[in-house]
């Protein structure tokens, strides 16, 4: 009494279907590239809990937009965004049906000097909406570094970088499967400095 037992059993009814469409075009002004990627996936998972055969349906729709350019000979920037909509429904526990939205915004830039100096910086902002109370969150990550190419043939590089300057990194994962709604947060490495030499 009060115990549970679990065993493996083969169940019919599982499927997964996904597709994507990529399209890229060069832009004349400013001279750059625009890349679009549309992805759609749908899957059904089967489960058997207390002799109740049920299904979990997951649908994901995302649209990635990426813009990259070399505005000058020694400078380039890139921008991308990836809005994603997740829909989950259950055949038994309809009250657990739920949808949530996530989006990432990323920007990075690099500057190069003719004397061998390089400065780089990137910023990534990801947020979630539509989750249960207390789970909607935003994660801003800002990294930056400065490097110097060494030797006559520039075969060496000495770089000082700082990762997660804002000290806001979070390890968050969401799960929607087999009549389970899961949310986990893991301890991750936050702000740190690193000096590297590459030859």
């Amino acid at each position: 009494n009060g115990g549970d037992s679990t065993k493996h059993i083969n169940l019919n009814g599982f499927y997964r279907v996904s597709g994507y469409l990529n399209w890229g075009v060069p832009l004349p002004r400013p001279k750059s590239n625009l890349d679009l990627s549309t992805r759609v996936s749908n899957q059904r998972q089967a489960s058997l809990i207390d002799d109740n055969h049920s299904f979990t349906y997951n649908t994901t729709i995302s649209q990635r937009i990426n813009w990259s350019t070399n505005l000058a000979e020694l400078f380039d920037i890139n921008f991308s965004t990836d809005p994603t909509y997740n829909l989950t429904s259950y055949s038994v526990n309809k009250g657990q049906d739920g949808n949530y939205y996530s989006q990432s915004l990323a920007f990075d830039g690099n500057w190069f000097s003719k004397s061998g100096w390089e400065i780089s910086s990137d910023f990534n902002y990801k947020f979630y909406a539509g989750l249960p109370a207390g789970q909607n969150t935003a994660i801003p990550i800002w990294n930056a570094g400065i490097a110097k190419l060494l030797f006559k043939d520039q075969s060496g590089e000495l770089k000082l970088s700082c990762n997660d300057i804002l000290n806001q990194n979070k390890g968050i994962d969401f799960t929607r499967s087999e009549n389970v709604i899961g949310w986990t947060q893991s301890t991750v490495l936050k702000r740190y400095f690193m000096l590297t030499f590459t030859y």
Side-chain angles (χ1 to χ4, degrees):
N1 293 329
D4 289 325
S5 62
T6 302
K7 66 178 180 179
H8 296 284
I9 185 172
N10 291 324
L11 294 174
N12 291 325
F14 176 88
Y15 69 79
R16 177 181 296 160
V17 180
S18 62
Y20 65 91
L21 176 64
N22 293 327
W23 181 73
V25 60
L27 302 177
R29 292 186 180 180
K31 190 176 181 181
S32 56
N33 293 307
L34 179 65
D35 297 295
L36 306 175
S37 178
T38 303
R39 296 179 179 272
V40 179
S41 67
N42 177 263
Q43 71 172 6
R44 182 175 72 177
Q45 294 175 300
S47 62
L48 185 63
I49 301 176
D50 295 334
D51 294 326
N52 294 318
H53 193 184
S54 62
F55 296 105
T56 302
Y57 300 87
N58 289 304
T59 301
T60 302
I61 304 169
S62 67
Q63 175 64 60
R64 179 175 175 80
I65 303 170
N66 186 79
W67 180 66
S68 58
T69 181
N70 290 322
L71 295 178
E73 181 181 355
L74 301 175
F75 181 71
D76 66 72
I77 60 174
N78 302 284
F79 172 81
S80 66
T81 182
D82 189 10
T84 303
Y85 199 58
N86 301 273
L87 305 93
T88 303
S89 62
Y90 303 91
S91 63
V92 175
N93 296 326
K94 302 299 293 182
Q96 291 185 353
D97 291 358
N99 308 325
Y100 72 93
Y101 176 83
S102 65
Q103 184 172 357
S104 64
L105 301 168
F107 173 85
D108 67 81
N110 298 278
W111 174 79
F112 314 91
S113 74
K114 294 182 179 179
S115 59
W117 286 95
E118 297 180 6
I119 297 176
S120 62
S121 182
D122 63 84
F123 181 78
N124 188 290
Y125 183 80
K126 187 168 186 176
F127 64 91
Y128 299 86
L131 291 165
Q135 296 184 13
N136 295 306
T137 186
I139 307 171
I141 304 293
W142 179 27
N143 307 313
I146 183 170
K148 179 66 170 70
L149 298 177
L150 306 174
F151 312 127
K152 291 183 178 180
D153 57 356
Q154 296 188 337
S155 58
E157 181 190 73
L158 186 65
K159 182 176 182 179
L160 176 63
S161 59
C162 180
N163 294 271
D164 190 17
I165 296 174
L166 303 177
N167 205 35
Q168 295 292 313
N169 194 13
K170 301 175 184 177
I172 295 178
D173 185 47
F174 301 98
T175 303
R176 298 289 188 274
S177 63
E178 299 178 1
N179 292 328
V180 173
I181 298 177
W183 180 83
T184 59
Q185 182 169 345
S186 306
T187 301
V188 295
L189 184 62
K190 292 192 175 184
R191 181 171 53 214
Y192 66 93
F193 295 86
M194 183 161 54
L195 181 66
T196 57
F197 172 73
T198 306
Y199 178 75

